[in-house]
Amino acid sequence: MKPTIDFARVEPHQSAIHDRLRNWARWCAVRPQSRVHPMFAQYRSHAWQWHTPEHRETCDLIDAQAIEKVVGTLPTKHREAGRWAYVHRVSPAIAARELGLSYDGLYQHVRDFRQMIINLTEK
């Protein structure tokens, strides 16, 4: 039986940094590259003429870059657990296995990641 841990749970005192980290995740999210045959590499669709543009959430670039600077200074396991929780979003089983942690340990690393960011960004 798998443990029931809510990885989306954010403690109340970490809610402000959670919003900033979601902004950071929008800034550094990597879109998957599609593999296109070279013959069609320069093709541009004209579908934009027929469909209304989709709304995309904006992000605060300056704040996201400031968070990225702080994230880069964290210990490796905490940094990677935070990147998993906000950016990569693969299965918790995969993240826990790659980091060598249990589910409880992964949750604790994500919680500690947020707390470290709070401690390092307070002025």
Side-chain angles (χ1 to χ4, degrees):
M1 179 181 214
K2 289 186 179 180
T4 55
I5 297 176
D6 184 9
F7 287 103
R9 182 178 174 271
V10 178
E11 295 178 8
H13 71 280
Q14 294 180 340
S15 62
I17 200 67
H18 176 67
D19 293 336
R20 289 181 68 192
L21 287 167
R22 287 179 53 223
N23 176 63
W24 164 73
R26 282 192 300 273
W27 176 76
C28 64
V30 177
R31 304 292 188 278
Q33 296 293 324
S34 63
R35 300 204 179 252
V36 177
H37 189 279
M39 184 170 98
F40 297 106
Q42 299 298 317
Y43 174 74
R44 298 292 176 251
S45 171
H46 295 288
W48 57 269
Q49 297 174 353
W50 311 110
H51 301 288
T52 57
E54 295 178 17
H55 173 70
R56 182 175 174 200
E57 282 187 271
T58 59
C59 69
D60 180 359
L61 300 175
I62 303 300
D63 186 54
Q65 291 172 5
I67 294 290
E68 178 64 24
K69 266 187 177 179
V70 174
V71 168
T73 65
L74 298 179
T76 305
K77 282 193 178 184
H78 291 90
R79 179 178 61 237
E80 293 308 315
R83 286 191 191 281
W84 164 75
Y86 288 96
V87 180
H88 302 302
R89 297 183 185 173
V90 295
S91 163
I94 294 171
R97 184 176 59 239
E98 287 179 357
L99 293 172
L101 300 168
S102 65
Y103 282 165
D104 291 327
L106 181 61
Y107 177 75
Q108 187 63 37
H109 273 68
V110 171
R111 187 201 159 285
D112 291 346
F113 168 79
R114 283 192 290 263
Q115 191 60 48
M116 288 178 183
I117 298 291
I118 290 170
N119 294 343
L120 292 171
T121 56
E122 280 183 352
K123 294 179 182 177

